[in-house]
Amino acid sequence: MTFTLTEEQGILRDTLARFMDTSARDTALADRWQALAELGALGIGFTEAQGGLGGGPREMALVLEAAGRTRRTEPLIDAMAIPGAALGVADPERLSDLAGGARIVAAAFAEAGDPVGVNPTMRISNGRASGEKALTPGAGAAEAVLISARDGDTLVLAEVSEADFAAMAQPMMDGQGGLRLVLADAPATVIATGEAAQHAIRAGWRQGLQAICAQAVGTSTALFDDTLAYVRVREQFGQPIGRFQVIQHRMADMMIALEESRSLLDMACHVLDSDGPDADLLMARTGILDRAMAIGRDAIQLHGGIGMSEEMPIGRGFRALKVLQGRFGGEPFHRATLRDIPHFVTQ
């Protein structure tokens, strides 16, 4: 396991950072999505035969880190990382459209009481799906959605088209368009069943956890950098507040938390690369989000009231972290799962 980027990974990181920092943010999502596809960002982690650029979990993490650091609102977790991993297991031939940006395909597996999606209450019968999924933060603009459901006692991975859920979009506080999927006898295309469906859904969930880790580290980095710049120029009693020892101690605590988060992200990448246990991914996710929220709270406090204003990026970054914190069941589910990991997802 290595903790440094290769030369190629460094070039990828710098390219992604420049693009996401300078490309348009106020155009239609379809246009921004196509621009990401043309850059190759949507194909990271997919083989060239699948229409991608290759790479693995570390390269995927670089995409999500860059998105978090530049506060992008494109649905990279829900419409790239999760569906890409699921389709890579269940039906790799479908990945070329996803990697090429031809369609925005999101994944909505989680339900109330089932954040992974392997024990769904949603039902499929004769190619028709009925039921409800939990709110998916980045799926509001999707042209199709992957779902988990039951056909009798058999677990099913299926796809539902836009026409059956377009009116259910819900704005999120981080700027994304969320989707609370409610289906009533909606046409659905079955992609995988039984054990193949379970492996695909679990792969999407694991990739989603790692993507959350990476985006949280990127967002935390931006909050730290912004706060460091602010305490160097904000003056009180005739000097920058960054000269006060109590502020220096707080900044040191934030930096330590950020470096710990980066190490935990390296662990999450290694777990995915080596097909390691779910418990290690959950520990990385919990550790990173704990530290990210602490960094966010300190960033707001050191900025003062202006930190929560719309004019400042600090509040937007903190809201993005709050959305990430609530993914896949949020803190109560993850901590309870870590206490009882043998009874969770079948390895």
Side-chain angles (χ1 to χ4, degrees):
M1 181 177 178
T2 179
F3 294 96
T4 58
L5 298 180
T6 65
E7 181 179 357
E8 291 79 6
Q9 289 171 339
I11 294 172
L12 175 62
R13 176 199 60 196
D14 295 341
T15 300
L16 289 166
R18 285 195 299 270
F19 177 84
M20 292 192 181
D21 193 41
T22 58
S23 61
R25 297 171 183 264
D26 55 357
T27 56
L29 176 59
D31 295 335
R32 289 179 279 136
W33 199 250
Q34 190 58 45
L36 286 168
E38 291 172 1
L39 179 70
L42 302 184
I44 300 296
F46 308 146
T47 66
E48 292 185 13
Q50 296 167 341
L53 296 180
R58 179 69 263 184
E59 287 75 16
M60 177 75 78
L62 292 175
V63 178
L64 274 298
E65 276 190 82
R69 191 164 190 167
T70 54
R71 301 178 179 88
R72 303 295 304 197
T73 58
E74 291 79 13
L76 292 169
I77 294 176
D78 296 291
M80 180 190 72
I82 300 176
L87 291 174
V89 172
D91 191 355
E93 292 184 1
R94 290 175 176 263
L95 283 175
S96 57
D97 282 351
L98 192 152
R103 294 191 305 159
I104 301 178
V105 181
F109 298 146
E111 296 184 9
D114 179 27
V116 183
V118 293
N119 296 299
T121 60
M122 182 168 281
R123 297 288 171 177
I124 285 184
S125 180
N126 298 320
R128 299 267 175 180
S130 298
E132 183 175 347
K133 291 293 183 180
L135 177 64
T136 303
E143 299 166 64
V145 172
L146 300 181
I147 61 169
S148 60
R150 290 278 177 187
D151 186 349
D153 293 329
T154 303
L155 182 64
V156 174
L157 172 67
E159 180 180 304
V160 181
S161 68
E162 177 186 16
D164 300 299
F165 61 80
M168 301 171 191
Q170 179 173 327
M172 303 297 296
M173 65 179 176
D174 64 348
Q176 293 191 91
L179 179 72
R180 193 177 299 278
L181 190 65
V182 180
L183 302 178
D185 206 30
T189 302
V190 174
I191 298 173
T193 62
E195 190 172 316
Q198 178 167 346
H199 288 327
I201 294 163
R202 177 173 175 267
W205 171 74
R206 283 167 60 88
Q207 182 64 76
L209 284 178
Q210 187 247 15
I212 288 169
C213 290
Q215 191 156 332
V217 168
T219 304
S220 299
T221 301
L223 291 173
F224 175 81
D225 290 345
D226 289 348
T227 305
L228 181 60
Y230 182 76
V231 301
R232 286 173 170 169
V233 298
R234 171 72 165 91
E235 291 194 357
Q236 190 69 23
F237 304 111
Q239 59 182 318
I241 62 173
R243 291 184 181 176
F244 301 144
Q245 191 176 60
V246 66
I247 301 297
Q248 294 172 357
H249 288 174
R250 187 67 65 87
M251 292 302 305
D253 288 341
M254 292 172 67
M255 184 175 182
I256 291 169
L258 182 57
E259 290 302 318
E260 289 173 342
S261 295
R262 288 171 176 157
S263 294
L264 287 168
L265 176 57
D266 285 331
M267 183 180 84
C269 293
H270 176 70
V271 171
L272 273 192
D273 214 18
S274 61
D275 197 24
D278 294 335
D280 289 350
L281 268 178
L282 287 167
M283 285 189 286
R285 177 255 169 229
T286 301
I288 288 173
L289 265 297
D290 282 352
R291 288 162 176 79
M293 295 304 296
I295 290 170
R297 287 190 292 268
D298 283 346
I300 290 173
Q301 184 170 14
L302 292 175
H303 275 78
I306 195 175
M308 289 300 293
S309 67
E310 287 297 323
E311 290 77 12
M312 296 291 289
I314 300 299
R316 296 198 299 274
F318 188 75
R319 291 196 295 273
L321 290 176
K322 288 294 292 182
V323 172
L324 293 175
Q325 186 185 42
R327 299 299 308 269
F328 299 128
E331 293 303 307
F333 173 80
H334 288 97
R335 294 185 188 281
T337 300
L338 284 170
R339 290 195 301 267
D340 197 25
I341 194 71
H343 303 290
F344 189 47
V345 180
T346 302
Q347 296 290 336

